[in-house]
Amino acid sequence: MKTSQFLLATLREAPADAEIVSHRLMLRAGMIRQLAAGIYNWLPLGLRVLRKVETIIREEMDRAGAQELLMPAVQPAELWQESGRWEMYGPELLRIRDRHEREFCFGPTHEEIITDIVRREIRSYKQLPANFYQIQTKFRDEIRPRFGIMRAREFLMKDAYSFHLTEESLQETYDQMYATYARILDRLGLTYRAVLADTGNIGGSASHEFHVLAESGEDAIAFSDDSDYAANVELAEAPHPETERAAPTEDLQLVDTPGVKTIDDLVNNYDLVIEKTVKTLVVHGTNNSLVALLVRGDHELNIVKAAKLPDVQVPLQFASEAEIKKAVGAGPGSLGPVNLPIRCYVDRAVAVLSDFTAGANIDGKHYFGINWERDAKLPVIVDLRNVVDGDASPDGKGKLSIQRGIEVGHIFQLGTKYSEAMKATCLDESGSSRTLSMGCYGIGVSRIVAAAIEQNHDDSGIIWPDPIAPFQVSLVPINMHKSQRLREAVMKLYDELVVAGVDVLLDDRRERPGVMFADAELIGIPHRLTFGEKGLDAGNIEYKSRSGDREQEVPLGEAVGFIQKQLSE
RNA sequence: CGGGGCGUAGCGCAGCCUGGUAGCGCACCGCAAUGGGGUUGCGGUGGUCGGAGGUUCAAAUCCUCUCGCCCCGACCA
């Protein structure tokens, strides 16, 4: 490709509303342009990357024996009503009507459609197991799309669905998909971790997420320093406290704490130890009740764990100040376990506290020296908090450390959730009808592009891993317009590279070298060949890698071979 | 959905408070010089000032409505 024939839409300045690195760089490099909130055009440069990611995924899925098919983006409401998700999915489902007022949605995922296909087409156990996938555009009407392509409403996803007669067969395919995802991310050249995950509203039992590690990641993931254990912080179980609850040494004391609304206020103004304070969070419970959740002052409530409690309404919603006042008689900031009139759960770490501080359920007052059983009955003890750096690993080996990750893949064992609702059955060896078990396996194709940039960039721009670079090599001629013999030599080399199958971008604009270098670096081409008259005289061409650690003269005659060697490394 | 902010040329912004012929930088086009890290000079192209309504002799500017986009908020007890 030559720049004269290519839309090189680079920008010096990024639009002011682009917040994260990948969004800024994708705009500046001319990969994408926004059309509406969470909806983007892919310009030629961006599409080249997207297609390369897609190709690697497709190759690995095919290699794993999955079959590609393509399902519609627009789906009839009937199937969603049949699975029960037309009501359950909520406002993220973009619902539309056709001219006959029939209801449809723009598919956010395709369990219903694939299950419908399979129940029509698969009759016999002899056709199983089967694994179908597609690479297709999804639409999820996110509350707040953000970060460019990272959390867009319309995005490209590879989704796969497998069908089985037995749990063993499902486990086998699940394990195979786990290995396939690892291969895909290895081939993409990304640093990642697979972690245990929550199954969320898709449902099912076992589940793993694949995270590309990056500071800007929206998810926190916890690793053991001494085993393979890795889990999303949403899921990671906090350890049982190592100590028993100590006997009371202080009397219960009601203290005036005017204006104290937060744990920080309390600790700073009354010289307390934060580990001996308790905060009380109030959420909506079932049947219009309120439920109080108690965690230590220095800990964070884990929303996923809280939402799993039997009395808590799903999705989790925090009570308003007015609701709290009405139920408790005091506002947020003055709540605690003593004389608390609503149902209550305590975190394990709270249950072992003694002589601790919490709100008095009277505005502007706190109790100091609270002790369980003496001052308040100890409520049900559950795991409510996020794990923190240094917690013992749940598998008993080592300590946890927390890192940020971008979720690019998620695999689930769904079991019979959809096949049962939609009556997807087939005959087994004995001729009796059996409900199929399902697995599903997703990869965010467009999100991988953004994640790759988050992980691989510097001040000058993107640094693509070779396998997904829009071009492998940039060819930068210096002052080509002034020298006919340089022009001829450059064109000859360009043709040779193309014939050799190298993905090369020749910058044939009449620009100064600085401009061409800056653009090549911004768009992240991993290898660069610079060619000027001086080099031509010496019979050399200059090579530089984007990561900057290699720079050398290469004899012109060996340039093609040299590049091929770089690309195969 | 709540809170905040912003819509003026492709991008980044000024002008608005205090109404009076719409500006700057980058990009783009032309000419010239320059020629190995975003060069310089000169000359140009490009704008229904998000939209509608109102006030006024006169509206980017004031008022009302509306649309769009962005940020923060689901850890606050």
Side-chain angles (χ1 to χ4, degrees):
Chain A
M1 183 61 71
K2 297 172 183 169
T3 51
S4 57
Q5 302 166 327
F6 191 78
L7 179 63
L8 198 62
T10 53
L11 302 173
R12 249 191 195 182
E13 291 168 292
D17 47 24
E19 287 286 308
I20 62 167
V21 169
S22 60
H23 190 195
R24 298 176 69 82
L25 288 176
M26 286 180 85
L27 289 166
R28 285 194 55 211
M31 295 177 65
I32 55 168
R33 292 290 184 256
Q34 184 178 43
L35 186 63
I39 300 177
Y40 289 84
N41 291 309
W42 285 81
L43 300 184
L45 187 78
L47 187 63
R48 292 180 73 94
V49 179
L50 193 67
R51 290 288 184 244
K52 288 194 177 183
V53 173
E54 211 179 302
T55 297
I56 288 172
I57 293 171
R58 182 173 282 116
E59 284 172 5
E60 292 302 327
M61 290 301 290
D62 288 346
R63 174 193 163 104
Q67 312 171 59
E68 186 169 9
L69 46 60
L70 185 60
M71 294 180 269
V74 174
Q75 309 176 4
E78 285 78 6
L79 290 176
W80 285 76
Q81 285 157 350
E82 195 177 341
S83 71
R85 285 208 292 185
W86 188 256
E87 281 75 34
M88 292 299 293
Y89 209 92
E92 256 180 58
L93 186 65
L94 181 66
R95 293 155 215 255
I96 49 185
R97 285 172 191 270
D98 70 6
R99 60 167 66 195
H100 304 292
E101 294 290 308
R102 285 189 288 243
E103 290 187 297
F104 290 84
C105 63
F106 201 106
T109 173
H110 281 66
E111 281 83 7
E112 281 79 3
I113 313 302
I114 192 71
T115 305
D116 183 58
I117 291 174
V118 165
R119 71 180 169 182
R120 291 165 189 268
E121 309 299 333
I122 301 242
R123 301 274 144 70
S124 158
Y125 72 93
K126 292 174 193 164
Q127 295 168 286
L128 297 177
N131 192 1
F132 301 99
Y133 78 96
Q134 64 173 345
I135 296 173
Q136 193 252 7
T137 298
K138 303 276 187 270
F139 195 98
R140 295 182 185 170
D141 201 355
E142 296 272 352
I143 307 175
R144 186 149 82 87
R146 55 182 142 177
F147 304 150
I149 233 68
M150 186 78 80
R151 182 173 290 282
R153 293 194 293 174
E154 184 176 305
F155 60 99
L156 190 66
M157 181 174 179
K158 187 283 302 177
D159 47 328
Y161 307 89
S162 69
F163 293 84
H164 312 269
L165 214 50
T166 65
E167 292 305 310
E168 295 71 47
S169 169
L170 170 58
Q171 184 67 47
E172 211 170 284
T173 299
Y174 184 86
D175 291 343
Q176 188 189 30
M177 282 295 105
Y178 185 103
T180 297
Y181 276 34
R183 284 185 60 93
I184 289 168
L185 290 163
D186 281 335
R187 280 190 59 187
L188 291 170
L190 300 175
T191 305
Y192 67 94
R193 286 295 292 265
V195 306
L196 290 166
D198 183 56
T199 49
N201 65 353
I202 302 244
S205 45
S207 173
H208 285 85
E209 290 166 353
F210 288 78
H211 285 263
V212 168
L213 300 183
E215 291 289 322
S216 59
E218 287 194 89
D219 286 286
I221 47 192
F223 308 89
S224 166
D225 60 5
D226 193 35
S227 75
D228 289 339
Y229 182 86
N232 195 308
V233 163
E234 286 180 347
L235 192 76
E237 187 184 349
H240 286 277
E242 284 166 12
T243 50
E244 298 281 306
R245 187 167 73 237
T249 61
E250 297 175 15
D251 291 332
L252 185 68
Q253 194 188 346
L254 185 62
V255 179
D256 275 326
T257 52
V260 170
K261 288 281 177 198
T262 68
I263 290 290
D264 279 346
D265 292 345
L266 194 60
V267 169
N268 293 336
N269 295 338
Y270 297 87
D271 198 23
L272 298 170
V273 180
I274 193 165
E275 288 84 4
K276 292 204 115 186
T277 63
V278 166
K279 55 185 175 188
T280 304
L281 292 83
V282 182
V283 299
H284 287 178
T286 50
N287 302 323
N288 286 326
S289 65
L290 293 182
V291 176
L293 307 171
L294 273 61
V295 295
R296 225 168 65 183
D298 58 321
H299 286 153
E300 287 182 349
L301 178 71
N302 180 307
I303 292 164
V304 169
K305 291 173 183 174
K308 285 178 182 160
L309 296 173
D311 304 319
V312 169
Q313 193 189 55
V314 180
L316 191 81
Q317 220 184 341
F318 285 89
S320 69
E321 185 163 349
E323 288 167 331
I324 295 172
K325 272 231 146 106
K326 192 172 165 214
V328 182
S334 303
L335 304 179
V338 181
N339 302 323
L340 185 67
I342 57 178
R343 178 180 284 273
C344 179
Y345 289 92
V346 297
D347 183 64
R348 290 165 180 169
V350 172
V352 297
L353 290 180
S354 56
D355 302 327
F356 64 90
T357 303
N361 301 319
I362 303 167
D363 278 333
K365 292 181 193 294
H366 281 74
Y367 279 118
F368 288 17
I370 304 173
N371 283 279
W372 290 117
E373 305 300 357
R374 186 191 71 185
D375 308 318
K377 189 173 172 337
L378 187 60
V380 180
I381 303 165
V382 287
D383 176 22
L384 272 181
R385 69 174 175 94
N386 281 339
V387 293
V388 295
D389 228 67
D391 272 340
S393 174
D395 67 353
K397 294 175 201 157
K399 286 185 175 329
L400 294 178
S401 65
I402 314 283
Q403 281 193 47
R404 307 298 300 180
I406 300 164
E407 183 193 343
V408 295
H410 201 161
I411 60 177
F412 300 83
Q413 293 186 29
L414 293 173
T416 57
K417 175 172 169 161
Y418 297 92
S419 45
E420 203 167 297
M422 298 182 64
K423 300 185 182 62
T425 60
C426 86
L427 298 181
D428 65 12
E429 290 99 319
S430 65
S432 50
S433 179
R434 298 261 301 273
T435 299
L436 298 172
S437 281
M438 283 176 70
C440 80
Y441 318 94
I443 288 187
V445 182
S446 41
R447 182 179 283 182
I448 278 179
V449 176
I453 296 172
E454 289 295 329
Q455 198 176 74
N456 299 285
H457 66 268
D458 63 13
D459 291 343
S460 303
I462 304 166
I463 307 173
W464 290 113
D466 278 2
I468 56 174
F471 298 97
Q472 296 168 306
V473 178
S474 64
L475 184 51
V476 179
I478 311 285
N479 292 326
M480 185 167 68
H481 65 101
K482 283 175 63 176
S483 164
Q484 182 60 24
R485 71 183 185 113
L486 178 65
R487 182 173 193 87
E488 281 165 13
V490 166
M491 288 304 168
K492 179 162 173 286
L493 177 60
Y494 172 74
D495 289 339
E496 286 169 3
L497 286 166
V498 170
V499 167
V502 175
D503 216 348
V504 57
L505 181 68
L506 166 61
D507 201 334
D508 59 347
R509 294 176 295 175
R510 190 176 158 168
E511 286 288 357
R512 298 169 68 95
V515 173
M516 295 192 278
F517 292 150
D519 273 343
E521 283 160 9
L522 174 60
I523 69 179
I525 302 178
H527 306 278
R528 187 178 83 198
L529 290 170
T530 308
F531 204 4
E533 279 225 293
K534 279 183 247 166
L536 190 59
D537 290 340
N540 282 336
I541 192 163
E542 185 183 297
Y543 169 79
K544 185 171 186 297
S545 84
R546 177 63 178 86
S547 42
D549 51 353
R550 287 169 287 177
E551 186 166 5
Q552 56 187 294
E553 299 290 322
V554 178
L556 190 50
E558 296 168 23
V560 174
F562 178 85
I563 284 294
Q564 285 177 317
K565 186 158 167 286
Q566 299 300 315
L567 293 174
S568 65
E569 272 175 6

